[in-house]
Amino acid sequence: MSSILSIKNLEKTFVSTGEKLTVLSDLNLEVEEGKKIVILGESGSGKSTLLNIIGGIDSITAGSVIAGTEKSGKWKVSELREKELCEYRSRFLGLVFQFHYLLKDFTALENVCMPALIAGVPEKIAREKAEQLLQDTGVYERKNHLPSELSGGERQRVAVARALINDPSLILADEPTGNLDPANAGVISGLLFNMVEKYNKTLLLVTHDMKIAENGDEIYRILGGKLAKENGGK
Ligand SMILES: Nc1ncnc2c1ncn2[C@@H]1O[C@H](COP(=O)(O)OP(=O)(O)OP(=O)(O)O)[C@@H](O)[C@H]1O
Ligand SMILES: [Mg+2]
């Protein structure tokens, strides 16, 4: 198994109005391709900050973050310029958040197609891929509905389909079921794990829910700015 993500001695300090807040400190993480990694931690412990750094959304204070495989090539995430960052995000990453961020004036199908069209995939191919993913996530029958016409769980199913459209290697999911009731959260997270398995992806998932965490291959907790390995998982 080869490495897909390598984080070394990562430090993240926020400075606002002269106050310094070190959220992540000397954090290390190695992820092998194909693994499902779950990250737990108290509110404010730095989970979203970590995912935002891997996603190239937040800068780092020290250390290094290298993402990619032999096949995709490696990106030194903390040093990418805007153009490389766009390519890294569109070719390598799939993102799912707590809030679905679907475009409200576009149907489910159009929302799923969008990242592929932006990446230059011809419309017919994008549409076929999107329809397959909507089948997989169980919302194909709702493909012509607007986000406002879908339930919370259905919107997250569409968001999962959209995250996979560009065939990303690494899926970053920040509390993707945080807005759902426990039963729905279990169903949607199960679906996400199944999709990651089916399409051979690597997953980094943040959750508060121990039951969901148990589906991971490896479970970590952010404690004092570092990752501590937890027992459990598969
Ligand atoms: N842009 C910012 N400027 C200053 N401080 C920030 C910024 N973003 C996050 N923080 C602080 O960093 C800490 C970690 O935030 P983060 O959002 O990563 O926590 P989290 O573990 O995701 O929490 P939650 O479970 O509530 O989502 C918090 O104390 C937060 O206030
Ligand atoms: Mg968070």
Side-chain angles (χ1 to χ4, degrees), residues 180-215:
L180 304 176
D181 62 75
N184 238 325
V187 172
I188 302 293
S189 62
L191 172 80
L192 180 60
F193 278 98
N194 287 342
M195 295 287 282
V196 165
E197 186 87 36
K198 172 171 178 180
Y199 287 106
N200 245 327
K201 306 300 180 194
T202 307
L203 175 69
L204 217 64
L205 171 94
V206 165
T207 182
H208 278 115
D209 189 329
M210 265 320 284
K211 260 208 195 130
I212 293 174
E214 290 296 336
N215 293 307

Short mmCIF file of all heavy atoms in Angstrom, two decimals, residues 180-215:
data_model
loop_
_atom_site.label_atom_id
_atom_site.label_comp_id
_atom_site.label_asym_id
_atom_site.label_seq_id
_atom_site.Cartn_x
_atom_site.Cartn_y
_atom_site.Cartn_z
N LEU A 180 -28.20 15.87 10.55
CA LEU A 180 -29.27 14.88 10.36
C LEU A 180 -29.63 14.23 11.70
O LEU A 180 -28.81 14.19 12.62
CB LEU A 180 -28.82 13.82 9.36
CG LEU A 180 -28.38 14.33 7.99
CD1 LEU A 180 -27.86 13.17 7.15
CD2 LEU A 180 -29.53 15.04 7.27
N ASP A 181 -30.86 13.69 11.77
CA ASP A 181 -31.23 12.95 12.99
C ASP A 181 -30.42 11.66 13.03
O ASP A 181 -29.89 11.22 12.00
CB ASP A 181 -32.74 12.68 13.00
CG ASP A 181 -33.16 11.82 11.83
OD1 ASP A 181 -32.90 10.60 11.87
OD2 ASP A 181 -33.71 12.36 10.85
N PRO A 182 -30.29 11.03 14.22
CA PRO A 182 -29.39 9.89 14.37
C PRO A 182 -29.66 8.77 13.36
O PRO A 182 -28.71 8.19 12.80
CB PRO A 182 -29.65 9.40 15.80
CG PRO A 182 -30.12 10.61 16.52
CD PRO A 182 -30.88 11.43 15.53
N ALA A 183 -30.92 8.45 13.09
CA ALA A 183 -31.22 7.34 12.17
C ALA A 183 -30.72 7.67 10.76
O ALA A 183 -30.03 6.87 10.13
CB ALA A 183 -32.72 7.08 12.14
N ASN A 184 -31.05 8.86 10.29
CA ASN A 184 -30.60 9.31 8.98
C ASN A 184 -29.08 9.43 8.91
O ASN A 184 -28.47 9.10 7.89
CB ASN A 184 -31.19 10.70 8.71
CG ASN A 184 -32.02 10.71 7.44
OD1 ASN A 184 -31.68 10.01 6.49
ND2 ASN A 184 -33.09 11.48 7.44
N ALA A 185 -28.48 9.89 10.01
CA ALA A 185 -27.02 10.04 10.06
C ALA A 185 -26.37 8.69 9.83
O ALA A 185 -25.39 8.57 9.08
CB ALA A 185 -26.59 10.63 11.40
N GLY A 186 -26.92 7.65 10.45
CA GLY A 186 -26.39 6.30 10.28
C GLY A 186 -26.51 5.83 8.85
O GLY A 186 -25.56 5.26 8.29
N VAL A 187 -27.66 6.11 8.24
CA VAL A 187 -27.90 5.66 6.86
C VAL A 187 -26.95 6.38 5.90
O VAL A 187 -26.29 5.76 5.05
CB VAL A 187 -29.37 5.92 6.45
CG1 VAL A 187 -29.57 5.64 4.97
CG2 VAL A 187 -30.31 5.07 7.28
N ILE A 188 -26.86 7.69 6.03
CA ILE A 188 -26.04 8.47 5.07
C ILE A 188 -24.55 8.20 5.27
O ILE A 188 -23.81 8.10 4.29
CB ILE A 188 -26.34 9.99 5.19
CG1 ILE A 188 -27.83 10.27 4.96
CG2 ILE A 188 -25.46 10.81 4.26
CD1 ILE A 188 -28.33 10.01 3.57
N SER A 189 -24.13 8.04 6.52
CA SER A 189 -22.70 7.74 6.70
C SER A 189 -22.40 6.34 6.18
O SER A 189 -21.34 6.11 5.58
CB SER A 189 -22.27 7.91 8.16
OG SER A 189 -22.98 7.00 8.96
N GLY A 190 -23.34 5.41 6.38
CA GLY A 190 -23.16 4.06 5.82
C GLY A 190 -23.02 4.12 4.31
O GLY A 190 -22.16 3.46 3.71
N LEU A 191 -23.84 4.94 3.70
CA LEU A 191 -23.79 5.13 2.25
C LEU A 191 -22.42 5.69 1.82
O LEU A 191 -21.82 5.21 0.86
CB LEU A 191 -24.90 6.11 1.84
CG LEU A 191 -24.88 6.57 0.40
CD1 LEU A 191 -25.50 5.50 -0.48
CD2 LEU A 191 -25.66 7.87 0.25
N LEU A 192 -21.94 6.68 2.56
CA LEU A 192 -20.64 7.29 2.23
C LEU A 192 -19.53 6.23 2.30
O LEU A 192 -18.70 6.11 1.38
CB LEU A 192 -20.36 8.46 3.18
CG LEU A 192 -19.04 9.20 2.98
CD1 LEU A 192 -18.93 9.81 1.60
CD2 LEU A 192 -18.89 10.31 4.04
N PHE A 193 -19.52 5.44 3.38
CA PHE A 193 -18.51 4.38 3.50
C PHE A 193 -18.64 3.38 2.35
O PHE A 193 -17.63 2.94 1.79
CB PHE A 193 -18.64 3.67 4.85
CG PHE A 193 -17.95 4.40 5.98
CD1 PHE A 193 -18.66 5.22 6.83
CD2 PHE A 193 -16.58 4.28 6.15
CE1 PHE A 193 -18.02 5.91 7.87
CE2 PHE A 193 -15.93 4.96 7.18
CZ PHE A 193 -16.66 5.78 8.04
N ASN A 194 -19.88 3.03 1.99
CA ASN A 194 -20.08 2.08 0.88
C ASN A 194 -19.57 2.63 -0.45
O ASN A 194 -18.97 1.91 -1.25
CB ASN A 194 -21.56 1.72 0.72
CG ASN A 194 -22.02 0.81 1.83
OD1 ASN A 194 -21.21 0.19 2.49
ND2 ASN A 194 -23.33 0.74 2.04
N MET A 195 -19.85 3.89 -0.69
CA MET A 195 -19.42 4.52 -1.94
C MET A 195 -17.89 4.57 -2.01
O MET A 195 -17.29 4.34 -3.07
CB MET A 195 -19.98 5.94 -2.05
CG MET A 195 -21.48 6.01 -2.16
SD MET A 195 -22.08 5.46 -3.75
CE MET A 195 -21.75 6.90 -4.73
N VAL A 196 -17.27 4.91 -0.89
CA VAL A 196 -15.81 4.97 -0.83
C VAL A 196 -15.22 3.60 -1.13
O VAL A 196 -14.24 3.46 -1.85
CB VAL A 196 -15.37 5.50 0.57
CG1 VAL A 196 -13.90 5.24 0.83
CG2 VAL A 196 -15.68 6.98 0.69
N GLU A 197 -15.88 2.58 -0.58
CA GLU A 197 -15.45 1.19 -0.80
C GLU A 197 -15.63 0.82 -2.29
O GLU A 197 -14.72 0.35 -2.95
CB GLU A 197 -16.34 0.29 0.06
CG GLU A 197 -15.96 -1.15 0.06
CD GLU A 197 -14.91 -1.46 1.12
OE1 GLU A 197 -14.96 -0.86 2.21
OE2 GLU A 197 -14.05 -2.31 0.83
N LYS A 198 -16.84 1.09 -2.80
CA LYS A 198 -17.17 0.70 -4.17
C LYS A 198 -16.23 1.33 -5.20
O LYS A 198 -15.80 0.69 -6.15
CB LYS A 198 -18.62 1.09 -4.48
CG LYS A 198 -19.01 0.90 -5.94
CD LYS A 198 -20.49 1.09 -6.23
CE LYS A 198 -20.73 0.91 -7.73
NZ LYS A 198 -22.12 1.06 -8.12
N TYR A 199 -15.96 2.62 -4.99
CA TYR A 199 -15.15 3.33 -5.98
C TYR A 199 -13.67 3.42 -5.59
O TYR A 199 -12.91 4.19 -6.18
CB TYR A 199 -15.74 4.72 -6.25
CG TYR A 199 -17.03 4.63 -7.06
CD1 TYR A 199 -18.26 4.83 -6.47
CD2 TYR A 199 -16.99 4.31 -8.41
CE1 TYR A 199 -19.45 4.73 -7.21
CE2 TYR A 199 -18.15 4.20 -9.15
CZ TYR A 199 -19.37 4.41 -8.55
OH TYR A 199 -20.53 4.31 -9.28
N ASN A 200 -13.30 2.63 -4.54
CA ASN A 200 -11.88 2.54 -4.20
C ASN A 200 -11.23 3.86 -3.82
O ASN A 200 -10.14 4.19 -4.32
CB ASN A 200 -11.13 2.01 -5.42
CG ASN A 200 -10.54 0.67 -5.11
OD1 ASN A 200 -10.16 0.41 -3.97
ND2 ASN A 200 -10.47 -0.18 -6.13
N LYS A 201 -11.89 4.62 -2.98
CA LYS A 201 -11.37 5.92 -2.58
C LYS A 201 -10.73 5.84 -1.20
O LYS A 201 -10.89 4.84 -0.50
CB LYS A 201 -12.50 6.96 -2.52
CG LYS A 201 -13.32 7.06 -3.78
CD LYS A 201 -12.47 7.45 -4.94
CE LYS A 201 -13.26 7.56 -6.22
NZ LYS A 201 -12.37 7.61 -7.38
N THR A 202 -10.06 6.91 -0.83
CA THR A 202 -9.56 7.05 0.53
C THR A 202 -10.44 8.09 1.22
O THR A 202 -10.82 9.08 0.59
CB THR A 202 -8.09 7.52 0.50
OG1 THR A 202 -7.35 6.63 -0.34
CG2 THR A 202 -7.49 7.54 1.89
N LEU A 203 -10.76 7.85 2.49
CA LEU A 203 -11.69 8.75 3.19
C LEU A 203 -11.07 9.29 4.47
O LEU A 203 -10.46 8.55 5.23
CB LEU A 203 -12.97 7.97 3.55
CG LEU A 203 -14.02 8.70 4.39
CD1 LEU A 203 -14.68 9.83 3.59
CD2 LEU A 203 -15.10 7.73 4.88
N LEU A 204 -11.25 10.58 4.67
CA LEU A 204 -10.91 11.21 5.94
C LEU A 204 -12.19 11.85 6.43
O LEU A 204 -12.67 12.82 5.85
CB LEU A 204 -9.85 12.30 5.68
CG LEU A 204 -8.77 12.46 6.72
CD1 LEU A 204 -7.92 11.21 6.80
CD2 LEU A 204 -7.89 13.64 6.38
N LEU A 205 -12.75 11.29 7.50
CA LEU A 205 -14.07 11.71 7.97
C LEU A 205 -14.00 12.23 9.39
O LEU A 205 -13.44 11.58 10.28
CB LEU A 205 -15.00 10.49 7.92
CG LEU A 205 -16.36 10.69 8.56
CD1 LEU A 205 -17.38 11.12 7.53
CD2 LEU A 205 -16.84 9.44 9.26
N VAL A 206 -14.57 13.40 9.60
CA VAL A 206 -14.69 13.97 10.95
C VAL A 206 -16.11 13.71 11.44
O VAL A 206 -17.08 13.96 10.72
CB VAL A 206 -14.43 15.49 10.91
CG1 VAL A 206 -14.88 16.15 12.20
CG2 VAL A 206 -12.95 15.76 10.67
N THR A 207 -16.21 13.19 12.65
CA THR A 207 -17.54 12.98 13.22
C THR A 207 -17.49 13.09 14.75
O THR A 207 -16.42 12.97 15.34
CB THR A 207 -18.12 11.60 12.82
OG1 THR A 207 -19.43 11.47 13.35
CG2 THR A 207 -17.26 10.46 13.31
N HIS A 208 -18.64 13.30 15.36
CA HIS A 208 -18.75 13.26 16.83
C HIS A 208 -19.34 11.93 17.26
O HIS A 208 -19.42 11.63 18.44
CB HIS A 208 -19.70 14.37 17.30
CG HIS A 208 -19.04 15.70 17.40
ND1 HIS A 208 -19.39 16.76 16.61
CD2 HIS A 208 -18.05 16.13 18.21
CE1 HIS A 208 -18.64 17.78 16.93
NE2 HIS A 208 -17.81 17.43 17.88
N ASP A 209 -19.78 11.15 16.27
CA ASP A 209 -20.62 10.00 16.54
C ASP A 209 -19.77 8.72 16.57
O ASP A 209 -19.25 8.29 15.56
CB ASP A 209 -21.67 9.93 15.40
CG ASP A 209 -22.73 8.91 15.66
OD1 ASP A 209 -22.44 7.89 16.32
OD2 ASP A 209 -23.86 9.11 15.18
N MET A 210 -19.64 8.14 17.76
CA MET A 210 -18.81 6.93 17.92
C MET A 210 -19.28 5.77 17.05
O MET A 210 -18.49 4.99 16.55
CB MET A 210 -18.80 6.47 19.39
CG MET A 210 -17.64 6.99 20.21
SD MET A 210 -16.04 7.01 19.37
CE MET A 210 -15.61 5.27 19.40
N LYS A 211 -20.61 5.69 16.91
CA LYS A 211 -21.17 4.59 16.10
C LYS A 211 -20.69 4.70 14.65
O LYS A 211 -20.35 3.72 14.02
CB LYS A 211 -22.70 4.70 16.10
CG LYS A 211 -23.38 3.77 17.06
CD LYS A 211 -24.77 3.46 16.48
CE LYS A 211 -25.68 2.86 17.50
NZ LYS A 211 -26.97 3.55 17.55
N ILE A 212 -20.68 5.93 14.13
CA ILE A 212 -20.20 6.17 12.76
C ILE A 212 -18.70 5.90 12.70
O ILE A 212 -18.20 5.26 11.77
CB ILE A 212 -20.53 7.61 12.32
CG1 ILE A 212 -22.05 7.75 12.18
CG2 ILE A 212 -19.82 7.97 11.03
CD1 ILE A 212 -22.53 9.15 11.90
N ALA A 213 -17.98 6.34 13.74
CA ALA A 213 -16.53 6.18 13.77
C ALA A 213 -16.12 4.72 13.65
O ALA A 213 -15.11 4.39 13.01
CB ALA A 213 -15.96 6.78 15.06
N GLU A 214 -16.93 3.83 14.22
CA GLU A 214 -16.60 2.39 14.20
C GLU A 214 -16.49 1.81 12.79
O GLU A 214 -15.95 0.73 12.60
CB GLU A 214 -17.65 1.60 15.00
CG GLU A 214 -17.60 1.83 16.50
CD GLU A 214 -16.29 1.34 17.13
OE1 GLU A 214 -15.65 0.45 16.54
OE2 GLU A 214 -15.91 1.88 18.18
N ASN A 215 -17.03 2.50 11.79
CA ASN A 215 -16.92 2.03 10.41
C ASN A 215 -15.54 2.31 9.80
O ASN A 215 -15.25 1.84 8.70
CB ASN A 215 -17.96 2.74 9.52
CG ASN A 215 -19.36 2.32 9.88
OD1 ASN A 215 -19.66 1.14 9.93
ND2 ASN A 215 -20.21 3.28 10.15
#
